[in-house]
Amino acid sequence: MKATDLGLPDGIRACLFDLDGVLTQTAKVHAAAWKEMFDVYLRERARSYGEPYVPFDPVGDYDTYVDGKPRADGTRSFLASRGIVLPEGKPDDRPGAETVEGLSNRKNEIVLRRMRDDGVQAYDGSVRYVRTARDAGLRRAVVSSSANCRDVLVAAGIEDLFEVRVDGLTAQRDRLAGKPEPDMYFAAARALAMAPGQCAVFEDALAGVAAGRAGGFGFVVGVDRVGQAAELTAHGADVVVTDLAELQGQS
């Protein structure tokens, strides 16, 4: 089997997969956690300042400001969209403290609770695709902004399918810029001893697709789980599918 049998251009030797929304059904969990955290904060702020309360939109706000980004970047980006500037705080700030780090920590607390209560499911089509890529001899990495990446892979039972993991912890340790910058994808390519042009990027987030395009990767696959095919294409996807299984047999 060749890369072209997986819907990829000839010359692709490695696949770099985002986690949430591409491999696992956790994007909705993250969106719900962001909404729960921000709505509490926005409601309290509106009460304190006598402002109208406008809740977080788990589709529009999530896709535009937080999806695919490191947690603190997402918090900062959404707050800026509302004209709110908070102190950065410190990584060990109390969850819910009125700082970027405090709100980010509260979001993480919520998402971990939701995953613990509800479990983590992988997309069957994605798992089959990754296994086929492995059997075809393609190298495989997970590239996720989440600091909980390994826990999610283990909970979904798919950790063994990947040779390399570049996640939020890696980014913090190695001081890698988060998506939409391509640094994390570059790190994964280096770890697999591949040039960017030899790698395909698989992303459902607009920021992730933009990172794949900005890095000059060989092929960028947009995975449309929420009806944003046009936006994924506009951000640089070479092809957009609703499930990775659709790629098999394409050439």
Side-chain angles (χ1 to χ4, degrees), residues 7-250:
L8 305 173
D10 193 26
I12 293 296
R13 298 290 178 263
C15 297
L16 313 180
F17 298 93
D18 177 46
L19 178 66
D20 302 316
V22 173
L23 299 172
T24 57
Q25 301 182 40
T26 43
K28 289 182 179 179
V29 179
H30 282 281
W34 281 110
K35 180 170 176 59
E36 182 177 337
M37 180 275 286
F38 274 129
D39 282 358
V40 169
Y41 170 70
L42 292 169
R43 191 177 293 113
E44 291 175 351
R45 182 182 176 88
R47 188 181 302 119
S48 297
Y49 289 89
E51 301 170 348
Y53 165 59
V54 181
F56 179 86
D57 183 339
V59 177
D61 287 332
Y62 178 75
D63 291 344
T64 304
Y65 302 114
V66 305
D67 188 21
K69 297 178 181 178
R71 196 181 306 135
D73 288 353
T75 300
R76 199 179 300 107
S77 177
F78 172 73
L79 291 175
S81 78
R82 297 291 181 91
I84 300 171
V85 179
L86 294 181
E88 285 297 309
K90 298 179 180 178
D92 61 353
D93 276 2
R94 173 184 58 80
E98 200 170 352
T99 64
V100 169
E101 294 288 356
L103 294 181
S104 300
N105 289 341
R106 177 57 181 148
K107 183 268 173 178
N108 191 50
E109 213 175 50
I110 294 168
V111 82
L112 290 175
R113 184 198 77 217
R114 286 175 174 265
M115 288 194 292
R116 182 178 64 248
D117 292 346
D118 301 333
V120 175
Q121 275 192 304
Y123 285 103
D124 291 339
S126 295
V127 174
R128 288 195 302 271
Y129 187 90
V130 176
R131 285 178 176 151
T132 303
R134 176 195 62 190
D135 295 345
L138 296 179
R139 309 295 300 277
R140 301 158 318 284
V142 173
V143 182
S144 171
S145 297
S146 174
N148 305 312
C149 180
R150 182 179 181 275
D151 292 337
V152 173
L153 290 171
V154 170
I158 57 174
E159 184 189 22
D160 63 325
L161 292 177
F162 304 96
E163 303 164 86
V164 165
R165 184 181 75 251
V166 176
D167 60 15
L169 298 177
T170 314
Q172 185 177 33
R173 182 193 69 209
D174 298 342
R175 298 183 180 181
L176 303 174
K179 305 169 188 176
E181 299 303 320
D183 300 34
M184 296 180 73
Y185 278 112
F186 285 150
R190 284 195 301 271
L192 294 172
M194 295 286 167
Q198 295 176 293
C199 301
V201 167
F202 298 78
E203 269 283 359
D204 72 313
L206 302 181
V209 166
R213 177 54 56 222
F217 287 86
F219 199 62
V220 180
V221 178
V223 183
D224 179 24
R225 306 286 191 191
V226 295
Q228 57 176 6
E231 292 91 338
L232 290 166
T233 299
H235 279 72
D238 292 298
V239 66
V240 176
V241 296
T242 58
D243 189 89
L244 296 191
E246 296 172 27
L247 291 166
Q248 292 187 241
Q250 294 186 22

